[in-house]
Amino acid sequence: LFPNKITTEQESMVLVKRLLAVSVSCITYMRGLFPESSYGTRYLDDLCLKILREDKSCLGSLQIVKWIQGCFHALERHYVSFLWSFLYLHKTVTELYQFKFKYEKEVPQMDISSIQMNFVNGACSEDAKQASRLLIRKLYLLMQNLGPLPNDITLTMKLLYYSDVTPKDYQPPGFKEDGSSGDLLFDGDPVNLRVGSVSTGFHLMKVRVTTEKKRMGTVESNLIRKNGPTEISHQGLDCDEEEEEGNIKINCLNLAFSQEEVKGPKKKRKVSEPEEPLLEGRK
C-alpha cells in the first residue's frame, strides 16, 4: 500500500497521495456516503481498508475521485497548502476534515558518521511508514466512534494555496475559483480533533477533524485539542504550528489570507471549489 522506501521526493509524493486517497476513502465509507460498489478492498497489516474507485453506477463517487486527482495536480506543483473536505446541511458545516500540506525546501542530507544512515533533516522511511499506519488506524478508530450524521447531508471540498508560489489563474482539474463569501458556519458545538501527522523529510501532512460535540461518543480524550469545544484553530495555515492558534470566533471558519509577509489590509486567500456540486448525497 505504501512505498517500501522513501529516499526521493517522488517516493515521498507517492506516499502522500496514497495517504490522502486512503483517508478520504475512509471518511466517505465510514460516514456512509456511497454504496459498497464504490469501494475496492486493500489491507494494511490486519486492517481492512475500503478505497474509493471509479464506480460508473455512482456519479457522486466518480466526482470525489476526480476531486482527489485535482488535489494531486496541485500537490505535485507544491501549490496546495490545505484541503478541506466537509459535510454540510442547509449551508452550514456539520463535519470538517482538514488536510494540511508542507513542502521541505531542502533535500534531507545523509549523516555519513551514523551507522544507521538516518536522515538528519527528515524521518527515515520506516518512521514515515509507521506514522502512516498509525494515522490511518486512528482515523478509522475515530470514524467508528463518532455518532451518526444528520440525514440529507452532502460533501464538498475546498483547496487553499501557498500564494507566493501559486499562479493567480491556476485551477487544478475539476476545480474553479471559490465563489463563497469566505466564511463557513459550523452547525452546533464544534470539537477539534488531532488525528495525526506524517513527515518524510520531503513532505509533511497533518490531519484534523472537527465534529459536533454530541457526536463524540467514546472518542478517546487524547485526540481532543486543548482548546476544547469552544474554539477552532486558525485556518490560514502558511505559518508554523505554534502560530496556528487563531482568534476565530466560535462556529465560524474564516478563509482570510494570513501570510506573515503581507503588509497592510489582509487579502482574501486563494481558494478553489469543485466545478460541480456533488451529484449524489448519502446512500
Side-chain angles (χ1 to χ4, degrees):
L1 184 62
F2 299 127
N4 290 325
K5 61 177 182 177
I6 306 165
T7 56
T8 67
E9 184 177 1
Q10 290 74 22
E11 290 165 348
S12 174
M13 179 58 68
V14 170
L15 174 67
V16 172
K17 286 180 176 179
R18 290 184 181 176
L19 263 179
L20 177 61
V22 171
S23 297
V24 174
S25 297
C26 165
I27 291 165
T28 60
Y29 182 79
M30 300 298 288
R31 299 315 259 156
L33 296 186
F34 305 118
E36 191 76 27
S37 61
S38 297
Y39 300 87
T41 300
R42 297 289 296 273
Y43 285 88
L44 179 62
D45 301 325
D46 60 338
L47 183 63
C48 178
L49 304 178
K50 296 293 184 177
I51 311 297
L52 274 169
R53 60 186 179 185
E54 294 181 311
D55 178 15
K56 295 181 180 180
S57 67
C58 180
L59 297 179
S61 65
L62 279 175
Q63 283 179 286
I64 298 296
V65 171
K66 182 179 179 181
W67 296 351
I68 294 173
Q69 291 170 344
C71 186
F72 288 173
H73 190 275
L75 274 170
E76 290 168 353
R77 289 155 180 77
H78 293 193
Y79 292 165
V80 65
S81 61
F82 250 90
L83 182 151
W84 285 3
S85 179
F86 55 90
L87 300 167
Y88 65 94
L89 177 69
H90 307 310
K91 297 183 180 181
T92 58
V93 178
T94 190
E95 208 157 86
L96 171 69
Y97 314 100
Q98 307 173 59
F99 299 87
K100 177 184 178 182
F101 305 101
K102 280 190 174 183
Y103 313 93
E104 296 295 334
K105 295 181 180 180
E106 297 182 2
V107 177
Q109 301 295 315
M110 282 290 195
D111 178 4
I112 304 300
S113 65
S114 171
I115 297 176
Q116 290 80 19
M117 297 291 283
N118 287 330
F119 285 119
V120 173
N121 297 321
C124 68
S125 298
E126 198 56 42
D127 287 344
K129 287 193 293 182
Q130 184 61 30
S132 301
R133 294 187 189 101
L134 181 60
L135 186 151
I136 296 301
R137 285 183 178 276
K138 288 176 69 176
L139 186 59
Y140 262 78
L141 178 65
L142 175 60
M143 295 294 105
Q144 286 172 345
N145 285 278
L146 287 179
L149 291 164
N151 294 324
D152 301 323
I153 60 165
T154 190
L155 181 143
T156 193
M157 290 183 180
K158 290 183 185 287
L159 299 181
L160 287 74
Y161 301 92
Y162 288 109
S163 61
D164 56 335
V165 295
T166 307
K168 291 183 179 180
D169 60 350
Y170 171 77
Q171 295 296 338
F175 286 82
K176 64 180 181 179
E177 184 177 353
D178 180 48
S180 67
S181 64
D183 289 336
L184 304 174
L185 297 179
F186 196 94
D187 180 28
D189 192 1
V191 176
N192 201 8
L193 307 170
R194 296 173 295 181
V195 178
S197 64
V198 175
S199 175
T200 66
F202 298 95
H203 301 91
L204 172 68
M205 174 175 154
K206 294 185 177 183
V207 182
R208 290 179 180 169
V209 175
T210 304
T211 190
E212 218 285 326
K213 185 178 180 180
K214 290 185 292 187
R215 291 191 208 114
M216 288 296 294
T218 58
V219 175
E220 295 182 20
S221 59
N222 62 359
L223 287 175
I224 303 174
R225 287 183 56 83
K226 291 180 181 179
N227 55 350
T230 58
E231 288 185 27
I232 292 179
S233 296
H234 184 21
Q235 307 300 325
L237 294 176
D238 282 357
C239 49
D240 293 331
E241 184 73 17
E242 59 269 16
E243 297 168 337
E244 288 180 13
E245 303 305 325
N247 298 313
I248 304 305
K249 294 181 180 179
I250 300 172
N251 297 353
C252 182
L253 306 174
N254 190 279
L255 296 178
F257 193 94
S258 64
Q259 283 185 295
E260 286 183 336
E261 65 268 19
V262 174
K263 303 298 181 183
K266 288 184 178 180
K267 299 179 182 179
K268 186 177 186 298
R269 174 188 281 271
K270 178 178 175 62
V271 182
S272 296
E273 65 180 359
E275 291 177 334
E276 300 291 340
L278 197 66
L279 295 176
E280 294 180 12
R282 301 185 73 181
K283 60 186 181 182

